[in-house]
Amino acid sequence: MAISGFEGFEKRLELRFCGDDPVTADNNLGLRLLGFESLEQVLNAVQCTVVSAVANQYFDAYVLSESSLFVYPTKIIIKTCGTTQLLKSIRPLIHHACNLGLTLCSCRYTRGSFIFPKAQPFPHTSFKEEVIYLEETLPTDLCYRKASVMPSKTTTHSWHVFTACDQSHLIPNDTYTLEVCMTELDRVLARKFFQPPGGTKSGDIAGKEMTKITGIGDINPRAMICDFAFDPCGYSMNGVHNDRYSTIHVTPEDGFSYASFECVGSIFDDDIEHLVGSLRKAVQVFRPATLSVSTTCASHEVWPRVAHALEPLGLKCRSCAADEFPAAGSVVFQTFTARRK
């Protein structure tokens, strides 16, 4: 294990807002009306920048210098890796949303266990510090709050969850989120995320090539992909399909290699089986020795399919922890290791 290196494990923040008139808030652009300068100000507080962007009729998707940002009319998701200060985005986002007539009604913060925890800046020095910061930063009417560290059989993998919401958003909606964290990537496959020394390709062009040669483009062929390759190594992509996003981030260096895959869906989807196929394809791009999957969903129909997707790939489920959270529903945290270990 390297003593220090780039922190691949992301912090993820999801903020939901509501307006006085929910109908107009949903029909118009809502948070999508935030000017680029406002978004830059938010990202400046986090300490990252936009490197690429794409949009459709439902939402805007940004690839960041450290991961991704998704802006919907009444919802924002920011996911950042490295030593970013993600929680510092909350105050400016509440302020900018207020100018659009929107108020914060729920918050969800999740992350895995950092590979290099000592390198993290305030408020990310520990989960306790993060929770204190969240408790102090969130409006008091988000009074239904819960923080939990979900364990696994290994001390190196645990899942940290904090949720908060107001009275009217206690019941979760019908969407699910799948957050996959992969470590100890197959070395041969990880090499595909390095640019050749002295290469002159732009991040956009090199990113498109990586999407193609690694098979990432086949995970969901229906999605519009916005991708970017970093110099000398590393890769990020956002997939956009109708009102759903998927995202992949790769830190390929040996000793602290890491890749993440995240996607969202609805429990009413006809093609929940499509989720199994996507998950299987995403994991096969990296063939990790260890991975964890966190499934956040109002019901219990999604998480049992995770093991069904992964076990044929030679991955064995080593642990499973479940908990209930206000506004989020149930969170199920599963860890897997390759049988070859």
Side-chain angles (χ1 to χ4, degrees), residues 69-90:
L69 162 69
F70 303 98
V71 183
Y72 288 80
T74 57
K75 175 174 72 177
I76 278 190
I77 294 136
I78 313 189
K79 185 168 181 164
T80 63
C81 57
T83 53
T84 47
Q85 296 168 286
L86 177 61
L87 297 180
K88 291 194 173 178
S89 64
I90 298 174

Side-chain angles (χ1 to χ4, degrees), residues 54-68:
V54 70
N56 67 8
Q57 69 192 85
Y58 300 100
F59 68 105
D60 307 315
Y62 300 88
V63 174
L64 306 178
S65 53
E66 275 91 357
S67 305
S68 292

